[in-house]
Amino acid sequence: MPNPDPTRCPPAADRSHLSWPARVALPMALALATGCASSERFGPRADDSSRPGAPSSIQERADAFAIDHDAFAALGYRIDWRGFPAVAPGERVRFMNLFGDTLLVQESGSTVTAMDPDTGEVRWANQLAGPLTLFVGNSRILDRFYISGEPELYVLDVDTGTLLDRQSYEKVVATNPIIAGRVLIYGTPSGEILAHLTANSIKYWGFDGRGAIEHSPVRIDRAIGAVTRSGDVLFVNAENGSLIGRGEIFRGPGAEPVAGAGLMLVPSLDRSLYAFSPEGAELRWRYRTDTPLRTQPTVHDDTVYIAVESEGLVALDAVTGEPRWRSPDVLGVVIAHRAGRLVVWDADTREAATLDPESGEVLSRATLDGVQSIHAEPFLDGPLWVVSDGGVIARFRPRF
């Protein structure tokens, strides 16, 4: 495996000369003409089909997303720009990734759009497959985007969106991959941690677990950690797939495991948040709850934040698992740390709040109608990236 890190993204460049490739094939093309990063996805999958998809025109999409400036101001942000990735009528934004100088947006009908993160301008769009093809995540290695479908991998040129290659895996994959050099490491429905070598389109290594892997692996230094649906906890070497440690919990994750303080933190359906060390899969601590954990935890500065239905938002010491505070009137995911305040987003109620990170005291609240997802990148004092139900992308700048 190559030692240099090929995931490093180049600096932003002037791309005003770029035009859409002629091969963009989707019903929105005419309307659009008129009108680095890690592989971690910071815009979640849009699986809630009960909410409306995109209207049929750019103007209708814009009209359907009326920004409440006062609500965002209460959180400490102001609008920077709105943009319109290629989203077919009735479809929804499924993934959003910030890769250095490119914002990559993928909708549920398989169309991928590259946007300028500074202006929201669309650079190119490419429809890769039909709407029935399922995708699990997107990655960038040097000048290539790797769009991971369950059955195969699509390789695109970063500058033009041209399809360069389609690669088959040895097995169907189920998770967003971890990048290790030129290798993409997936979890599979069969329970295997599968390393796919992009340079040769071959299996690099694999390690079998017990039960399907449905949540993305995490990387802690040389270790890749994963948890199966049956509760098999695995740590393997990222270079060769050899076992580093193996443990067990009673049920699998209810949300994505995360890495923090040198540990893998697992929100489990068995009503516990677990912290495992890679070496020997040692259980460092366990925080018990009275309900299954299905909300994504967030780690920042050795503090893990997780919503517990009966307790509210809980802040725990990531090293020891000891509670630091509880905010009983707040649920959701901590998405940002801005000017000394935590920003929390509850997708179910569409309510955002700011909290004092030392005490958990609620400082402000705002309801964000029409918002499908909202995230900050970078986490510390970065802009907010907002996705509307109708497929509008908006960037909000911090108000300092």
Side-chain angles (χ1 to χ4, degrees):
M1 180 180 297
N3 289 324
D5 181 6
T7 68
R8 185 179 299 276
C9 296
D14 179 9
R15 299 172 183 243
S16 58
H17 65 285
L18 295 178
S19 60
W20 286 21
R23 65 190 309 277
V24 173
L26 76 161
M28 296 292 295
L30 292 178
L32 286 167
T34 60
C36 241
S38 72
S39 64
E40 182 178 358
R41 178 181 63 248
F42 74 94
R45 304 173 93 160
D47 292 331
D48 186 359
S49 58
S50 65
R51 295 180 179 176
S56 58
S57 72
I58 293 291
Q59 188 59 53
E60 288 177 304
R61 288 164 65 185
D63 293 343
F65 184 38
I67 295 175
D68 188 336
H69 295 279
D70 291 338
F72 282 96
L75 302 176
Y77 296 86
R78 59 182 175 85
I79 185 67
D80 193 1
W81 54 254
R82 289 195 305 173
F84 300 89
V87 182
E91 303 294 344
R92 299 163 55 79
V93 172
R94 188 166 177 82
F95 300 123
M96 179 171 62
N97 303 81
L98 183 61
F99 292 117
D101 60 351
T102 303
L103 183 68
L104 196 68
V105 180
Q106 184 174 13
E107 48 103 72
S108 52
S110 86
T111 298
V112 178
T113 302
M115 305 175 69
D116 187 319
D118 294 324
T119 66
E121 178 185 3
V122 171
R123 294 172 179 162
W124 53 258
N126 191 344
Q127 187 175 21
L128 302 179
L132 298 182
T133 301
L134 296 179
F135 290 84
V136 296
N138 302 320
S139 312
R140 177 176 178 170
I141 302 176
L142 291 177
D143 59 350
R144 300 288 185 266
F145 286 133
Y146 292 87
I147 314 300
S148 298
E150 287 187 341
E152 59 183 338
L153 182 67
Y154 298 77
V155 184
L156 305 183
D157 180 85
V158 166
D159 288 333
T160 66
T162 302
L163 181 63
L164 303 175
D165 193 13
R166 291 172 66 167
Q167 301 183 1
S168 297
Y169 318 108
E170 184 184 77
K171 296 180 179 179
V172 171
V173 302
T175 72
N176 194 41
I178 296 292
I179 296 175
R182 295 184 181 273
V183 175
L184 297 179
I185 303 173
Y186 299 89
T188 69
S190 67
E192 182 176 6
I193 304 175
L194 174 67
H196 177 84
L197 182 60
T198 60
N200 302 91
S201 186
I202 61 173
K203 178 178 176 178
Y204 194 57
W205 55 256
F207 190 94
D208 286 321
R210 296 183 293 271
I213 300 175
E214 300 170 329
H215 294 275
S216 299
V218 301
R219 182 164 188 173
I220 305 170
D221 297 326
R222 68 187 181 99
I224 299 295
V227 186
T228 72
R229 181 166 56 185
S230 63
D232 194 11
V233 179
L234 303 169
F235 290 98
V236 299
N237 190 303
E239 294 186 356
N240 55 32
S242 61
L243 184 65
I244 296 174
R246 191 168 199 162
E248 187 175 5
I249 57 180
F250 295 102
R251 294 184 65 185
E256 300 288 306
V258 296
L263 305 171
M264 180 171 69
L265 306 169
V266 184
S268 175
L269 293 173
D270 69 13
R271 306 181 182 186
S272 295
L273 178 65
Y274 293 92
F276 286 95
S277 173
E279 293 298 330
E282 178 188 356
L283 177 62
R284 291 291 184 85
W285 54 262
R286 177 184 183 185
Y287 183 77
R288 299 174 186 268
T289 66
D290 58 3
T291 55
L293 295 177
R294 294 187 172 91
T295 302
Q296 186 62 39
T298 301
V299 182
H300 178 65
D301 280 348
D302 285 346
T303 301
V304 55
Y305 304 95
I306 188 164
V308 180
E309 188 174 334
S310 61
E311 301 179 55
L313 187 70
V314 181
L316 304 169
D317 186 308
V319 177
T320 66
E322 290 298 317
R324 291 181 169 167
W325 50 256
R326 296 177 177 85
S327 187
D329 297 325
V330 176
L331 292 173
V333 180
V334 174
I335 60 170
H337 188 289
R338 191 207 69 81
R341 296 185 174 192
L342 298 175
V343 182
V344 184
W345 166 244
D346 187 341
D348 293 330
T349 63
R350 306 200 193 209
E351 183 176 78
T354 63
L355 277 65
D356 184 328
E358 299 300 323
S359 66
E361 176 188 359
V362 178
L363 303 175
S364 67
R365 291 183 185 271
T367 299
L368 306 178
D369 292 326
V371 172
Q372 172 189 316
S373 66
I374 179 170
H375 298 269
E377 178 69 21
F379 179 85
L380 183 62
D381 292 326
L384 288 184
W385 305 86
V386 175
V387 180
S388 79
D389 287 332
V392 179
I393 306 296
R395 185 174 109 157
F396 288 79
R397 188 183 299 275
R399 300 166 62 102
F400 290 103

